[in-house]
Amino acid sequence: MKLKTFPAPSSARRTIAGLLAGLFLLGRPIVADAEPVVVGREAQMFIDDYVVQSMRGVTRRIQPLVKNAENPVLRPERPWEENFALPISAFYDPDEQRYRMWYRPGHDKFRLAYATSPDGIQWDRPNLGLEEYKGSRENNIVPIYSGPAWGGVLKDVRDPDPARRYKLLTYNRASRSNGLYLFVSPDGLSWKPHSDLPLLEGLADCHTLMGWDPKISRYVAYVRPDKPIRTIARTTSEDMVKWAPFETVLEPDDDDPPGTQFYGMSVFPDRGVYLGLLWVYHANVLSIDVQLAFSRDGVKWERAARRHPILMFGLPDKFDSHLLIAMQPILRGDEIKVFYLGYDAPHAVVYNNEAYPPLTKALPRSEQPWLANRHGCGGLAGCLRDRFVAVEAGAEEGELLTKPFQFDGSVLNLNADATHGQILVEVRDENGKPIPGFSATHADPVRSDAVAIPVSWDSGTALASLKGHTVRLCFLMKDAKLFSFQVTP
């Protein structure tokens, strides 16, 4: 039986809600016993089953990041940039009220340049006067030798020494053994090495620095072991100087296509979950896209929603047609921004559309003609907070039932998009029985699109009456997306 949804007066709405609830109850198994989960006042995303007891007629799907219409937001414009302006690290600095970016200019693979922006779209290249280029210091080049250091710049507000306020964790192939090095700076522009010796050895390039993790009181970095098959490993440190031996935490498995490898992963802790933007290298087609991974402890990782890319290549004529490497997400209010670099050519040494034979020695640029036609730029993509993954219902009604949890507040907010359908919320006791006044027949339908939609019931019963009680939430959905819920005071 298919019910048509339309605006209705209160009595008719309750009748429809009652019919929907009745339909869902038919054939429903008895709710299995489940230990209450901790919810508190933290928003609960549906990226995994931590808070989910069961789902019927709904699907968990990746929500691809939306690329900015102004892309590429950073492109090579100055002589020293040649064909490349590749972001390696960016964040919003509340003290300076602007975005700050360190990127790799094309003139030297292991040099950095610096740019700032009020909005993340229009970027200024200040004349730093720190490094000479062809007889002039009027440029934005940062005088530091830095190997691949994606996401490696940290403004460390915890360090009491102002001379070490900024830290750069970088990779160096010139060491006795490939490894990580630490540079420190008072301003993010004038850098000096902490030591001439590597802090951690046995690594390949493309690590990322997550930063300080208050959960474990350690700095955390995700690195790539120096092995033939690229995988992701994790290391921690109390002071960013002494790093623990790394341990592999994520590697390709039998559910990945042949040739899959992991180049790196930018990790973003939010809502009590670690979210990873995983750079997936498809060796058979020489390309890299970005998938979403997640973890509850930073060690045990899973891939989200059937491994669909969350950031995909552009069309063949776009700057990001072959390769994308995503930086750590930046949270500003209810908006998440992700800067990324993109290449318009395959990720391999190619010449005349064929793989170039392995090199036995480093060649000067004049003998690498494939580089002349390859370009790299910086892009921007984003979404609203919590909207990496959605539980979606189509034209047929669906249901999501949570595990029991202790209700601690007086307002229930949904992060949802129900502009083309509706969501009804029923509050039940821990045994699955609807609580009087909070049944689906009394629920006011949610039919809007916002990150914090307050849920109400026409019974007039206040949610505050449930404080301290163990409850379940049942979401009855049609033509809607549900991203998260949150209990607030």
Side-chain angles (χ1 to χ4, degrees):
M1 180 178 180
K2 186 174 180 180
L3 298 177
K4 182 178 180 181
T5 301
F6 53 87
S10 178
S11 60
R13 184 181 64 225
R14 289 197 296 268
T15 300
I16 294 172
L19 288 172
L20 285 174
L23 286 174
F24 285 117
L25 286 169
L26 291 175
R28 175 188 293 146
I30 297 175
V31 175
D33 291 336
E35 289 295 323
V37 293
V38 177
V39 168
R41 294 179 178 176
E42 184 70 88
Q44 299 297 314
M45 297 183 289
F46 297 107
I47 194 169
D48 62 2
D49 287 336
Y50 172 76
V51 76
V52 176
Q53 175 77 48
S54 63
M55 298 193 299
R56 294 162 54 91
V58 296
T59 303
R60 185 182 282 126
R61 287 195 174 95
I62 288 289
Q63 305 298 295
L65 297 173
V66 178
K67 296 180 181 179
N68 193 282
E70 302 294 325
N71 276 346
V73 296
L74 187 75
R75 64 184 76 205
E77 297 176 350
R78 306 296 170 83
W80 53 88
E81 293 171 349
E82 298 179 352
N83 290 352
F84 301 101
L86 305 176
I88 68 136
S89 194
F91 58 80
Y92 182 82
D93 192 329
D95 296 326
E96 300 189 10
Q97 296 187 353
R98 59 181 178 175
Y99 293 91
R100 304 176 66 187
M101 178 184 288
W102 290 258
Y103 68 97
R104 182 171 297 157
H107 90 284
D108 188 334
K109 184 177 181 181
F110 298 119
R111 291 289 182 183
L112 296 182
Y114 176 70
T116 64
S117 171
D119 57 8
I121 298 175
Q122 303 298 325
W123 290 89
D124 299 318
R125 294 165 167 82
N127 285 328
L128 302 178
L130 299 175
E131 180 87 347
E132 185 174 302
Y133 175 76
K134 292 187 176 181
S136 173
R137 289 182 176 270
E138 293 188 2
N139 59 63
N140 64 331
I141 300 173
V142 177
I144 181 175
Y145 177 88
S146 171
W150 314 114
V153 177
L154 172 68
K155 185 176 182 180
D156 191 359
V157 297
R158 299 185 66 262
D159 197 321
D161 185 353
R164 299 170 63 89
R165 178 69 67 239
Y166 292 82
K167 296 180 174 66
L168 171 63
L169 196 63
T170 186
Y171 173 82
N172 191 348
R173 289 191 180 93
S175 66
R176 292 171 299 174
S177 175
N178 297 346
L180 295 183
Y181 289 75
L182 176 65
F183 287 77
V184 296
S185 169
D187 55 9
L189 303 176
S190 301
W191 296 88
K192 66 177 183 179
H194 168 80
S195 170
D196 292 333
L197 299 176
L199 308 180
L200 193 63
E201 299 180 284
L203 299 175
D205 56 9
C206 291
H207 68 280
T208 60
L209 176 62
M210 188 190 86
W212 180 257
D213 188 349
K215 278 189 174 182
I216 61 172
S217 297
R218 298 286 192 279
Y219 295 93
V220 178
Y222 288 86
V223 297
R224 203 178 78 200
D226 190 9
K227 297 178 180 179
I229 301 299
R230 298 170 175 89
T231 61
I232 307 299
R234 176 180 179 267
T235 179
T236 64
S237 172
E238 293 183 357
D239 56 7
M240 281 195 66
V241 175
K242 296 179 181 179
W243 289 87
F246 56 83
E247 59 174 329
T248 299
V249 295
L250 191 59
E251 54 190 350
D253 58 32
D254 291 341
D255 291 330
D256 288 306
T260 299
Q261 301 184 38
F262 298 154
Y263 240 78
M265 182 169 67
S266 297
V267 178
F268 172 58
D270 191 33
R271 307 298 200 191
V273 181
Y274 299 89
L275 302 169
L277 297 180
L278 180 65
W279 317 337
V280 181
Y281 179 42
H282 306 280
N284 291 344
V285 292
L286 307 178
S287 63
I288 297 177
D289 59 16
V290 180
Q291 295 180 12
L292 182 66
F294 64 91
S295 172
R296 290 281 169 177
D297 60 7
V299 178
K300 298 177 182 179
W301 287 84
E302 298 180 55
R303 316 270 284 284
R306 295 179 293 177
R307 310 185 180 192
H308 290 177
I310 196 168
L311 190 60
M312 189 59 179
F313 322 116
L315 295 173
D317 62 340
K318 299 299 182 181
F319 78 99
D320 55 0
S321 59
H322 286 78
L323 179 153
L324 305 98
I325 290 181
M327 304 295 101
Q328 187 181 53
I330 300 171
L331 177 62
R332 292 279 294 137
D334 291 330
E335 185 178 3
I336 288 176
K337 294 180 183 292
V338 177
F339 293 102
Y340 68 96
L341 68 86
Y343 273 152
D344 63 357
H347 182 66
V349 178
V350 295
Y351 182 54
N352 288 339
N353 295 321
E354 295 183 1
Y356 200 84
L359 302 179
T360 58
K361 64 178 181 178
L363 296 177
R365 293 178 65 85
S366 60
E367 295 183 33
Q368 300 183 63
W370 56 87
L371 293 180
N373 297 319
R374 186 174 65 171
H375 297 80
C377 300
L380 173 62
C383 65
L384 293 177
R385 193 176 189 184
D386 296 351
R387 294 195 174 190
F388 289 117
V389 173
V391 172
E392 298 184 8
E396 299 297 326
E397 290 78 20
E399 170 195 307
L400 184 151
L401 179 65
T402 72
K403 295 174 183 176
F405 64 92
Q406 188 176 80
F407 196 87
D408 180 26
S410 59
V411 177
L412 174 64
N413 289 309
L414 303 189
N415 187 335
D417 180 0
T419 50
H420 301 292
Q422 70 174 27
I423 301 174
L424 300 172
V425 183
E426 182 170 84
V427 186
R428 301 177 181 175
D429 63 23
E430 57 186 316
N431 297 315
K433 182 179 179 181
I435 297 175
F438 300 104
S439 65
T441 58
H442 289 287
D444 294 322
V446 171
R447 293 192 178 114
S448 56
D449 179 6
V451 297
I453 307 170
V455 180
S456 60
W457 291 261
D458 63 12
S459 64
T461 307
L463 275 170
S465 63
L466 300 179
K467 190 171 182 178
H469 291 259
T470 299
V471 303
R472 298 174 184 263
L473 300 179
C474 182
F475 301 95
L476 308 179
M477 306 168 54
K478 179 178 179 180
D479 288 323
K481 297 180 180 182
L482 178 62
F483 305 101
S484 67
F485 73 88
Q486 184 173 22
V487 177
T488 61

